[in-house]
Amino acid sequence: MKNFFRDLGYSIKTFFQGRYGSDMLSWTLIIAGLIISMGSGYVKAEVVSKILTIMSFAMICFALYRTYSKNIEARQKELAAFKHAFSGPINSIKMISLKKKDPEHLYVKCPNCKTILRVPKGKGRIIITCPKCQNKVELKS
Ligand SMILES: [Zn+2]
């Protein structure tokens, strides 16, 4: 019996070895999948409800597949693409609160990498360099 548990522990350990593990994208897929699956119960149209159920199931399956995947490079690429796609809207929300807190500065998004750039107001026409991607942005402050 002692050996059984030792072996079991060993196989669990080797199973998780070299696996990608969970990341922000997997968690987002799982949470969104659960919300959609719960929401599908309230949808009256049966076809739509079924589609939502399948969609949520697929999202959760994909999240689990990513977690146990050994292709770490591909998973990292997906995560980067996901972050890139969502950084725009997330930064837009951030900028609204930044503008409120700090009316002395101008906040603009780098058109290339979507990083928020802080610019002093009232300097006229200036060119700023994005610290992240070195992209040059010309603007009037
Ligand atoms: Zn940039």
Side-chain angles (χ1 to χ4, degrees):
M1 210 55 190
K2 214 177 162 190
N3 278 345
F4 172 75
F5 284 113
R6 201 192 59 200
D7 290 348
L8 184 72
Y10 182 74
S11 35
I12 290 171
K13 212 174 138 190
T14 46
F15 179 78
F16 283 101
Q17 235 162 35
R19 307 270 170 176
Y20 178 67
S22 56
D23 63 12
M24 202 175 77
L25 174 54
S26 292
W27 281 114
T28 309
L29 283 167
I30 288 172
I31 293 164
L34 289 174
I35 293 169
I36 291 170
S37 104
M38 279 189 287
S40 71
Y42 296 99
V43 178
K44 289 226 167 68
E46 207 181 315
V47 182
V48 180
S49 170
K50 266 192 186 142
I51 291 169
L52 289 175
T53 307
I54 293 164
M55 212 170 88
S56 67
F57 184 71
M59 283 164 88
I60 292 164
C61 283
F62 184 51
L64 292 174
Y65 162 74
R66 293 187 74 252
T67 305
Y68 300 115
S69 166
K70 284 189 171 178
N71 192 348
I72 290 165
E73 202 186 319
R75 303 291 85 80
Q76 280 169 342
K77 268 187 196 158
E78 282 162 10
L79 179 68
F82 169 73
K83 278 188 177 165
H84 188 79
F86 279 86
S87 65
I90 289 169
N91 281 355
S92 298
I93 297 164
K94 262 195 214 162
M95 269 167 68
I96 295 168
S97 72
L98 281 170
K99 276 177 188 167
K100 265 191 191 160
K101 269 191 227 160
D102 182 13
E104 308 285 301
H105 290 90
L106 208 71
Y107 287 92
V108 288
K109 246 189 284 177
C110 168
N112 188 37
C113 70
K114 311 279 188 284
T115 298
I116 299 173
L117 309 168
R118 197 174 77 145
V119 191
K121 260 187 185 170
K123 295 268 174 194
R125 223 174 171 75
I126 50 168
I127 296 168
I128 49 168
T129 310
C130 171
K132 206 173 167 188
C133 69
Q134 316 303 320
N135 180 40
K136 288 201 176 10
V137 190
E138 193 185 343
L139 52 97
K140 241 173 110 180
S141 78

